[in-house]
Amino acid sequence: MSWPTMILLFLATFLGMEVFAWAMHRYVMHGLLWTWHRSHHEPHDDVLEKNDLFAVVFAAPAIVFVALGLHVWPWALPIGLGVTAYGLIYFFFHDGLVHRRFPTGIAGRSGFWTRRIQAHRLHHAVRTREGCVSFGFLWVRSARALKAELSQKRGSSSNGA
């Protein structure tokens, strides 16, 4: 397999992970597996939370793809590396910059990071599985749009809608 093809496959996988992560966060974490994710929306002093199990679950396919890519199908390697790269950047951003679970060495004050940090904090403004906004990481709407959506959701839930 050529290097340009491998790079394109890596980039497509990395970007495709945003769609996958959004859907998993919106429909699985705030759906069927809320029992795991709830720990992330509640205050606690523990080093680990039940939500951290998702990292293990999402790492498994990446490990399998890398192993298959190294030993069986070369096209699986850039896919596994794309998933891994997305996971590492997400971990650094989410657990380091947003939740301050470990020092990152950067302030995260650039417009790029500020927008994502604001969006994630607005996501955490709701501690239940319903009514949250902003489930993505790379692509996020403006804080103004998210605040308006959050306000609208709160208004309709208080009206019995």
Side-chain angles (χ1 to χ4, degrees):
M1 175 176 293
S2 71
W3 278 104
T5 302
M6 290 182 78
I7 291 168
L8 283 173
L9 196 50
F10 169 86
L11 291 173
T13 301
F14 181 86
L15 294 173
M17 281 301 298
E18 176 69 1
V19 176
F20 175 80
W22 182 93
M24 290 298 291
H25 191 185
R26 173 65 183 92
Y27 296 109
V28 176
M29 292 176 171
H30 281 258
L32 183 66
L33 291 179
W34 174 250
T35 55
W36 286 12
H37 190 58
R38 178 187 305 134
S39 67
H40 186 62
H41 282 264
E42 296 173 342
H44 62 84
D45 293 326
D46 301 326
V47 174
L48 295 174
E49 52 193 49
K50 202 171 201 178
N51 184 69
D52 294 332
L53 291 170
F54 285 113
V56 176
V57 170
F58 296 148
I63 293 166
V64 169
F65 271 101
V66 169
L68 288 173
L70 289 172
H71 302 289
V72 183
W73 303 303
W75 57 264
L77 180 61
I79 292 172
L81 293 176
V83 172
T84 301
Y86 184 91
L88 287 172
I89 292 169
Y90 185 88
F91 172 72
F92 180 81
F93 159 76
H94 180 262
D95 292 302
L97 281 177
V98 176
H99 294 291
R100 304 283 182 202
R101 290 175 75 181
F102 58 85
T104 62
I106 64 170
R109 292 190 189 112
S110 72
F112 178 85
W113 289 119
T114 299
R115 184 173 175 147
R116 278 140 193 85
I117 290 168
Q118 288 173 331
H120 195 76
R121 290 199 174 137
L122 286 167
H123 174 76
H124 280 274
V126 176
R127 291 193 176 163
T128 60
R129 77 195 274 179
E130 290 91 16
C132 288
V133 297
S134 190
F135 294 92
F137 158 54
L138 293 174
W139 182 84
V140 295
R141 291 180 293 139
S142 70
R144 182 181 319 161
L146 293 171
K147 285 177 186 177
E149 181 184 349
L150 193 56
S151 177
Q152 184 271 331
K153 286 183 176 192
R154 286 179 173 164
S156 56
S157 67
S158 66
N159 293 332

